[in-house]
Amino acid sequence: MSKDFPQTRAEPKAWVARSAKQPMVLETVAPGPLGAEEVEIAVEHCGLCHSDLSVLNNDWGISQYPAILGHEAIGRITAAGPNARGLKVGQRVGVGWNAGSCMHCHQCMSGSHHLCPQVQPTIVGHRGGFASHLRSHWAWAIPLPDQLNFAEAGPLLCGGITVFAPLALHARPTDRVGIIGIGGLGHMAVKFAAAYGCDVTAFTSSESKFEEAKGFGAHHVVSSRDAAGLKKLAGSFDLLISTVNVKLDWDAWINTLAPHGRLHVVGAVLEPIPVAAFSLIMQQRSVSGSPTGSPVGIETMLEFAARHEVVPQTEHFPMSKINEAFARLESGQARYRIVLDADF
Ligand SMILES: [Zn+2]
Ligand SMILES: [Zn+2]
């Protein structure tokens, strides 16, 4: 390009974590050539998920620095590699926890791309969405339904699919479903389960959330600290989804499961979950877990969310206040999910 002409777009910028537990700093990022299968997306909004904080702090020992976090990104496609399929420049898409997979292994070929052994997390060894631009494999840039509220949709891309997937896999509309923990994940789980038609019980340790949980669609709200109350619910639930990342009295929770009931874990608790074999065997109960979902799973979830008006309850920060936003998340005060609006 002649230097007589201005550049068509500014240099890409990103909020960069240089090392663990340090504030992020704004830097110009050299993007390098776009991969043949990649698309580039100009970020408009990006949700802040607890996993961003875990990776910033290297809680899981997998972080790679410098890191660009953010994996609930919403934006428009600005460029597409020659082999990118099904997407147009200008189209609005979302990118969640994963930004690529091998596309030829057994899992990818059977529709479980999120279980691919080479799946590429968006924020580990890859540049995430707290940036002016991010890139992903075309298959992982999920087109957004027109009816979706784009400014609020970011949290659906990771948190939303994480709680929707177990409902889609394991729940029937006639089921009694319990959601443990009413936070970023849990409040979306309540909304999805209610929209699905289930009888929904919200469990929270915070009485200040009781009324809001009912507003999200919970039919019942129970204090998760009320051991006697839990005991009364013995044999009740077809599906319990745990969204918390702290140790629970697992036996007490499994005891609330109905015959055939399932405790499904999506909160990344680091301590092992001890389970008595007999509590599973005699009532034919299960304990299971799952990570986010496949591209088609995410697309299906977004269509469901648009149709049933499942909208995360958010607090917005300009992206330039990213460090304040992380502090707010860490304080546990956010109601219920933080979204950063790009302001580069
Ligand atoms: Zn694969
Ligand atoms: Zn996440």
Side-chain angles (χ1 to χ4, degrees):
M1 181 184 290
S2 158
K3 61 182 175 200
D4 295 337
F5 291 93
Q7 293 280 331
T8 51
R9 75 161 208 247
E11 287 269 277
K13 289 187 175 166
W15 287 94
V16 179
R18 304 291 326 176
S19 56
K21 303 182 184 179
Q22 295 301 310
M24 281 148 280
V25 290
L26 184 62
E27 293 185 3
T28 299
V29 182
L34 187 67
E37 307 256 340
E38 280 186 316
V39 293
E40 185 171 77
I41 298 148
V43 176
E44 296 172 315
H45 311 279
C46 190
L48 172 49
C49 172
H50 206 276
S51 303
D52 291 309
L53 186 60
S54 300
V55 173
L56 175 66
N57 292 340
N58 200 19
D59 290 341
W60 303 332
I62 60 166
S63 304
Q64 296 176 26
Y65 304 98
I68 300 171
L69 307 172
H71 60 276
E72 292 182 337
I74 300 288
R76 285 185 189 273
I77 294 182
T78 52
N83 298 344
R85 293 284 173 268
L87 298 170
K88 294 193 298 279
V89 169
Q91 187 172 0
R92 213 181 237 121
V93 295
V95 176
W97 176 251
N98 294 314
S101 57
C102 82
M103 305 300 283
H104 63 80
C105 73
H106 184 85
Q107 299 304 332
C108 284
M109 292 301 283
S110 55
S112 298
H113 306 64
H114 59 301
L115 305 180
C116 170
Q118 295 173 47
V119 73
Q120 173 61 63
T122 300
I123 60 169
V124 182
H126 182 274
R127 292 165 174 170
F130 296 143
S132 62
H133 297 79
L134 95 157
R135 291 175 174 183
S136 86
H137 188 282
W138 59 267
W140 288 93
I142 315 297
L144 302 186
D146 288 339
Q147 318 89 293
L148 210 64
N149 179 340
F150 304 123
E152 307 297 353
L156 296 171
L157 270 301
C158 177
I161 184 61
T162 296
V163 295
F164 181 81
L167 290 168
L169 280 170
H170 302 303
R172 288 176 298 186
T174 48
D175 280 351
R176 292 187 72 181
V177 173
I179 308 297
I180 308 172
I182 304 305
L185 289 176
H187 92 283
M188 285 189 270
V190 168
K191 288 185 173 210
F192 274 124
Y196 206 60
C198 303
D199 181 78
V200 184
T201 302
F203 292 97
T204 172
S205 58
S206 162
E207 291 206 4
S208 67
K209 294 181 179 175
F210 276 27
E211 281 313 304
E212 271 181 312
K214 283 186 184 160
F216 299 147
H219 304 93
H220 323 277
V221 185
V222 178
S223 169
S224 50
R225 293 206 175 121
D226 178 5
L230 266 194
K231 228 175 196 162
K232 276 191 222 149
L233 292 167
S236 295
F237 295 103
D238 302 296
L239 178 65
L240 271 178
I241 300 176
S242 173
T243 71
V244 297
N245 58 5
V246 294
K247 208 165 120 184
L248 299 176
D249 181 352
W250 297 104
D251 275 337
W253 287 100
I254 290 169
N255 192 45
T256 68
L257 293 175
H260 295 286
R262 175 184 296 267
L263 168 63
H264 193 89
V265 181
V266 296
V269 55
L270 293 176
E271 292 87 356
I273 300 174
V275 180
F278 264 112
S279 73
L280 301 182
I281 293 168
M282 299 312 286
Q283 300 289 311
Q284 218 170 301
R285 294 157 166 160
S286 313
V287 177
S288 55
S290 60
T292 62
S294 68
V296 164
I298 296 170
E299 192 179 311
T300 306
M301 175 275 301
L302 291 173
E303 284 169 11
F304 183 96
R307 188 160 63 247
H308 293 282
E309 295 174 18
V310 173
V311 181
Q313 183 162 319
T314 62
E315 296 178 1
H316 283 255
F317 286 71
M319 214 171 273
S320 51
K321 300 262 188 255
I322 188 169
N323 291 308
E324 287 91 328
F326 270 70
R328 173 83 176 155
L329 173 69
E330 202 159 17
S331 76
Q333 300 296 307
R335 294 287 185 274
Y336 279 83
R337 199 72 159 174
I338 294 171
V339 173
L340 302 183
D341 303 318
D343 61 344
F344 293 94

